[in-house]
Amino acid sequence: MTTEELLQWADDIVFTHTEKHLDSVQTAILEGAWQGLKYEEIAKKCHRSKSHIKNIAAELWQTLSELLGENIQKANARSVLERKAISNIYNYGSSSQIITSNINSHISICPENRQYPEDARNRSPSNSNSPSSQNQPTIIDLTEAPELTDYYPRPTEESTLKQWILEDGMRLVTLYGLSGIGKSALTVKLIQDIQTEFDYIIWRSLGNPPPFSTLQTELYQFFSQSQPNPCATLIEYLRSFRCLIILDDVQNLFKSGEIAGQYLAEYEEYGKFFKQLAT
């Protein structure tokens, strides 16, 4: 892990909890600790007094210790932060890239298809076959979802997503950003909080995307397995029941080096499906 990656990760963690980015002095202290510099050397680079640097450092180590649940001092800062960062990336993404952007800026919706609350309440009409109408528990398949460990709370993003999905009736929501920022973890946490609001929840990874026809068949079988009188099509299930479908790694459907939203030829049917969901 490079110094830049560590600093970006630490800044993101601090901002998530305090809504404040690391300032230049705090960044210099972290960089100096990574390089094994003494406080006196860090002070000279920052044009500050040694005592001032030590005071700021003490506050920084205390903040990081509270956020990461482990005692952090200058002597062990590099080893602890690197271990925590790598663990975070391993659990939430396959890439070692980390970005400073807060995930709140990487959530988007389809505003042209926005529903108002009264529309949302009527979107999934009562159905005699519905598990909810029979007081049956939500049917969930999270076999392809990552395990939620070392989750760093994102109350603002969690609240926004709940508002959009449960109250505003958004039909299509995307979370995007480089691997390691915590998109999948946020989604798993969201499912834990709102699962009782749905009849069906299924998570599918598109790390190695199947043809859309394969995914369509898989989704239909998942929805129909508990129904004595199956619906005729996948879309009918989505109209008749409250269904939450999570598709991870959607970026694998698109062409690289092209204008955003250009699907690979073999995955163009996915684009048609997303438009159908939104409308």
Side-chain angles (χ1 to χ4, degrees):
M1 173 175 288
T2 67
T3 306
E4 290 74 16
E5 289 173 335
L6 180 73
L7 292 175
Q8 290 174 352
W9 178 81
D11 181 74
D12 185 52
I13 295 300
V14 171
F15 183 82
T16 298
H17 292 270
T18 67
E19 296 188 351
K20 293 181 180 179
H21 288 289
L22 295 174
D23 60 30
S24 58
V25 175
Q26 292 171 320
T27 299
I29 291 171
L30 277 177
E31 185 174 9
W34 177 273
Q35 297 171 348
L37 300 180
K38 298 178 180 179
Y39 282 132
E40 185 176 359
E41 296 173 304
I42 298 174
K44 288 181 179 179
K45 292 183 65 175
C46 296
H47 304 289
R48 300 288 197 281
S49 67
K50 178 181 177 180
S51 60
H52 179 73
I53 293 298
K54 291 186 69 174
N55 289 336
I56 297 298
E59 295 176 358
L60 178 61
W61 304 141
Q62 178 65 30
T63 297
L64 291 174
S65 296
E66 293 175 356
L67 295 181
L68 300 178
E70 187 167 341
N71 183 41
I72 299 176
Q73 299 294 332
K74 178 176 175 294
N76 69 352
R78 174 169 179 167
S79 61
V80 173
L81 294 178
E82 188 172 26
R83 171 165 47 81
K84 291 285 187 178
I86 292 175
S87 173
N88 180 235
I89 296 169
Y90 176 80
N91 287 314
Y92 303 147
S94 58
S95 171
S96 62
Q97 292 178 296
I98 311 170
I99 61 176
T100 57
S101 302
N102 190 24
I103 199 168
N104 184 50
S105 63
H106 295 291
I107 303 177
S108 65
I109 59 176
C110 292
E112 66 274 16
N113 298 305
R114 183 182 182 93
Q115 288 181 297
Y116 293 96
E118 59 270 22
D119 298 324
R121 287 193 295 269
N122 295 325
R123 184 175 69 83
S124 298
S126 177
N127 184 301
S128 60
N129 294 325
S130 170
S132 295
S133 66
Q134 299 176 19
N135 296 318
Q136 294 183 9
T138 304
I139 298 176
I140 304 177
D141 181 352
L142 299 181
T143 55
E144 296 187 17
E147 182 181 359
L148 184 62
T149 59
D150 296 330
Y151 179 67
Y152 300 104
R154 296 182 181 273
T156 300
E157 290 77 13
E158 292 169 19
S159 177
T160 297
L161 287 170
K162 291 175 184 178
Q163 170 74 32
W164 286 349
I165 295 172
L166 299 181
E167 298 184 31
D168 297 344
M170 294 297 172
R171 295 169 176 170
L172 194 62
V173 178
T174 64
L175 277 67
Y176 65 96
L178 297 182
S179 296
I181 195 174
K183 303 181 300 298
S184 296
L186 173 60
T187 306
V188 173
K189 179 60 169 63
L190 179 69
I191 291 172
Q192 293 180 350
D193 293 344
I194 68 174
Q195 59 184 340
T196 57
E197 300 292 331
F198 291 88
D199 302 317
Y200 297 92
I201 299 176
I202 183 170
W203 182 305
R204 283 296 175 263
S205 171
L206 301 181
N208 184 22
F212 175 70
S213 59
T214 300
L215 176 68
Q216 185 178 36
T217 299
E218 191 172 341
L219 293 177
Y220 179 82
Q221 291 175 345
F222 171 70
F223 295 135
S224 63
Q225 63 182 337
S226 63
Q227 298 299 317
N229 300 305
C231 295
T233 66
L234 173 60
I235 290 298
E236 282 193 34
Y237 275 110
L238 303 184
R239 288 176 178 146
S240 302
F241 298 89
R242 287 286 285 168
C243 305
L244 179 60
I245 302 173
I246 301 95
L247 299 179
D248 201 6
D249 291 324
V250 172
Q251 73 276 1
N252 292 316
L253 303 176
F254 301 104
K255 296 178 180 178
S256 60
E258 299 283 344
I259 297 176
Q262 298 296 311
Y263 288 85
L264 292 166
E266 62 269 34
Y267 300 132
E268 290 179 350
E269 290 298 315
Y270 279 90
K272 296 177 182 179
F273 176 60
F274 294 148
K275 289 181 180 179
Q276 195 173 19
L277 288 181
T279 57

